Amino acid sequence: RIGSLMAEWQDKPFWAVSALAATHCGSGCTLGDLLAEWAVFFVPVVLTWFGYRTLFEHRMFATWVLDFVLAFVLGIVFQYFTIVPMRHLPPLKGIWQAVKADTLSLTAWQVGMYGWMAIAVFAIFHHELRKTSPVFWFMMQIAMVVGFCASFPVNWWLVRSGVKEKM
């Protein structure tokens, strides 16, 4: 049975391998974004730690900094626990390989996601959306799809070049 599972995995088309790598990246992004969005809702002072009113006029930009930090940390953790067992790496080398594998992918995802949310806020609605609004979360769902589309070519390249593992 294991042999047939390995053959099925190896026969997977490369676009599917790349899509799976993008969704793996997206899991850290999504979880980080969810945590950040609710953190700033329940503890708004957190925004000042990430530049609100000193660097950024809009709360949304400070939230994005927190989003990115949490997504990056979670993405590296998820990548670490994928790469280390597959490559049998020691911990420090595993962390470095996880950073290499997820930095570009995660950044592409977040840029796509932020790009969509900027369009939603500044071009469609002309105001920031409340975190408790179904419209906000609907726009976030679209943003996640855009993030996936933005990170797909990066994941294609990372897997093809061997920086990121096939899953």
Side-chain angles (χ1 to χ4, degrees), residues 54-135:
T54 56
L55 296 174
F56 307 111
E57 177 184 337
H58 296 280
R59 297 167 51 95
M60 181 175 69
F61 298 135
T63 303
W64 288 355
V65 174
L66 177 60
D67 282 353
F68 189 87
V69 168
L70 289 176
F72 188 78
V73 169
L74 289 168
I76 299 306
V77 168
F78 290 172
Q79 200 59 245
Y80 175 86
F81 286 109
T82 300
I83 287 177
V84 168
M86 288 180 161
R87 295 185 186 173
H88 309 290
L89 298 173
L92 286 178
K93 189 165 184 165
I95 291 170
W96 174 242
Q97 292 303 314
V99 168
K100 283 178 27 181
D102 224 37
T103 299
L104 289 176
S105 175
L106 186 137
T107 301
W109 181 289
Q110 293 295 97
V111 166
M113 190 188 82
Y114 299 152
W116 171 256
M117 289 307 286
I119 290 168
V121 167
F122 297 114
I124 298 172
F125 296 102
H126 305 289
H127 62 83
E128 289 192 43
L129 303 171
R130 290 188 333 267
K131 308 280 187 270
T132 56
S133 161
V135 173

Side-chain angles (χ1 to χ4, degrees), residues 154-165:
V154 174
N155 279 282
W156 181 289
W157 176 74
L158 288 169
V159 174
R160 178 74 69 200
S161 65
V163 173
K164 205 166 187 179
E165 290 295 321

